[in-house]
Amino acid sequence: MAITLLITDKTLRVQGDPLVGWTDLDVTRKFREPAAGTVTLPAYPEVMAQLQPSNRMVVIRDGTIWTAGPMEQPTDYEWSVDDQPGVGRVTVTFSDDLALIAGHITWPEPEKTWPLQLGDTWDTYDTVGSETIIRTLVDTNAGPGARTDRRVPNLILGPAAGVGTPTSLRTRFEPLLDPCRLAATSGGGIGFRTRQIGSQIVFDCYAPVDRTARARFSTGLGNLRGVSYTQSAPEATHALVAGREEEGSSIRTFVQIADTAAAAAWWRVEKYVDGGADNDDTGELTASGTSEIADGAAPVSLAMVTVDTPDLQAGRDFDLGDLVAVALPHGLQVTDVVRAITLQATANEGEQVASVIGSQDASTDPQTVRLIRTLSRRLGRLETRGTRSATP
């Protein structure tokens, strides 16, 4: 596999030659969340000149952009007398462009200036398609439809994919991706992402695909090198949602959302949910309960150390949000959603891919991330089948 690293400015203009001499690259792409990456480089003057605030890191794998986004920590520099090649080393921490959107909050009236926002006003969506809600939130708070001073440079919305189902939501002063995730979960389980296409950052939604017929991992297929599997009882089988008390009245609307199959398989687990709406006329309380049930579903966390084969490659044959199948060595087969994909590479020892599938929180759980690292250290740096090395 060939890996190329480029630096661009925030308008996506390349700042110099591809970065050379890098030693360790670690990039985790996440479902509905910003990516997290690090790379270690020799601190040559021409390299340091590119590592400036607001610049972006672009990771290209086999001619295709694997991830691209802002450098959150452009320079973590170290030098010692024993250092080779003598200029010191710098570690760069970066994300993908979804992090730029994550830095915004939802304004109740995004067309107005901040001093004109009203504390009792909400940005409300009553039984609207989840894709429409997500696209509107991003467009009006960070995209081309936002006020000029809030727009993310070069960010556009891709064509509507026609995915998702109707749901209800209202928001104000929340981190922008929080209501987007809520709408995605309660409105059909869709995904959203940013991609660098040419000189633009394209935000779009998509429907995860059932890849289980093709995306299968097992020791027999030679693409599964390590696994850690945990299944737990559900955190909630019955979401008991309470609407807000109407002013001057003790009357409240109560809605129950239940996962009867999970309750039958395990046991009944009730969770109280403050729905945040007066009633369920538009389905907002139902959406809150549905999201809570999804978040608290019986967690299945699966951290895999995988290798690409000519027949099955991450980013080509399966991606974030897709449904894949894993045959565990003791005979159990697990089918679930890909929550995170980690690419690890060194200049001399090649690359490996680790995937996390399973529960809603799998991609954000620090323990799971540590688990992937532990598996990687335990198994060592595994090259892909055949002769494949990462070339900086």
Side-chain angles (χ1 to χ4, degrees), residues 18-58:
L19 301 178
V20 297
W22 59 269
T23 53
D24 293 286
L25 174 69
D26 191 323
V27 190
T28 299
R29 297 166 52 225
K30 306 177 184 180
F31 187 46
R32 303 186 192 133
E33 294 184 56
T38 60
V39 64
T40 301
L41 301 153
Y44 297 125
E46 60 270 24
V47 171
M48 299 299 289
Q50 297 186 54
L51 303 181
Q52 300 300 319
S54 82
N55 280 357
R56 301 165 64 255
M57 177 73 69
V58 181

Side-chain angles (χ1 to χ4, degrees), residues 156-198:
I156 66 169
L157 270 66
V163 298
T165 58
T167 187
S168 297
L169 177 142
R170 66 176 181 167
T171 180
R172 61 175 179 178
F173 311 138
E174 294 182 273
L176 179 51
L177 292 188
D178 286 358
C180 290
R181 278 189 286 265
L182 176 59
T185 300
S186 62
I190 64 175
F192 53 81
R193 63 195 171 192
T194 55
R195 294 177 294 165
Q196 178 177 328
I197 301 178

Side-chain angles (χ1 to χ4, degrees), residues 4-271:
T4 302
L5 305 180
L6 295 174
I7 301 293
T8 77
D9 64 12
K10 61 184 177 182
T11 66
L12 279 63
R13 290 180 297 184
V14 176
Q15 296 300 286
D17 294 330
L19 301 178
V20 297
W22 59 269
T23 53
D24 293 286
L25 174 69
D26 191 323
V27 190
T28 299
R29 297 166 52 225
K30 306 177 184 180
F31 187 46
R32 303 186 192 133
E33 294 184 56
T38 60
V39 64
T40 301
L41 301 153
Y44 297 125
E46 60 270 24
V47 171
M48 299 299 289
Q50 297 186 54
L51 303 181
Q52 300 300 319
S54 82
N55 280 357
R56 301 165 64 255
M57 177 73 69
V58 181
V59 179
I60 302 173
R61 183 188 186 216
D62 278 357
T64 300
I65 294 178
W66 178 262
T67 189
M71 294 185 292
E72 298 175 321
Q73 191 176 65
T75 52
D76 182 0
Y77 174 78
E78 292 184 358
W79 176 88
S80 73
V81 68
D82 298 323
D83 175 71
Q84 294 294 329
V87 294
R89 298 201 170 270
V90 60
T91 298
V92 181
T93 301
F94 57 93
S95 184
D96 63 12
D97 291 309
L98 203 58
L100 300 175
I101 297 172
H104 292 235
I105 65 172
T106 57
W107 290 18
E109 299 182 89
E111 73 282 357
K112 296 182 179 180
T113 62
W114 179 250
L116 296 179
Q117 301 298 312
L118 299 176
D120 59 352
T121 303
W122 296 76
D123 189 5
T124 303
Y125 303 86
D126 296 336
T127 318
V128 179
S130 55
E131 181 184 21
T132 299
I133 294 175
I134 295 167
R135 288 169 58 88
T136 302
L137 286 172
V138 171
D139 184 31
T140 57
N141 287 284
R147 294 182 57 82
T148 303
D149 59 335
R150 301 187 70 205
R151 295 174 187 169
V152 173
N154 291 59
L155 175 65
I156 66 169
L157 270 66
V163 298
T165 58
T167 187
S168 297
L169 177 142
R170 66 176 181 167
T171 180
R172 61 175 179 178
F173 311 138
E174 294 182 273
L176 179 51
L177 292 188
D178 286 358
C180 290
R181 278 189 286 265
L182 176 59
T185 300
S186 62
I190 64 175
F192 53 81
R193 63 195 171 192
T194 55
R195 294 177 294 165
Q196 178 177 328
I197 301 178
S199 60
Q200 294 176 314
I201 300 169
V202 179
F203 176 89
D204 57 14
C205 298
Y206 64 98
V209 179
D210 185 342
R211 306 281 189 190
T212 53
R214 175 172 175 78
R216 305 180 65 84
F217 300 91
S218 71
T219 55
L221 292 173
N223 56 11
L224 182 63
R225 297 297 182 90
V227 97
S228 178
Y229 169 72
T230 303
Q231 185 175 21
S232 306
E235 297 175 0
T237 63
H238 290 70
L240 308 178
V241 189
R244 296 183 304 181
E245 288 188 12
E246 298 182 19
E247 187 174 352
S249 172
S250 60
I251 298 176
R252 302 182 72 178
T253 300
F254 294 93
V255 173
Q256 175 178 277
I257 304 298
D259 184 344
T260 54
W266 295 87
W267 52 80
R268 182 183 178 104
V269 183
E270 298 178 344
K271 186 169 185 179

Side-chain angles (χ1 to χ4, degrees), residues 264-281:
W266 295 87
W267 52 80
R268 182 183 178 104
V269 183
E270 298 178 344
K271 186 169 185 179
Y272 174 82
V273 181
D274 186 351
D278 294 333
N279 53 59
D280 200 38
D281 291 350

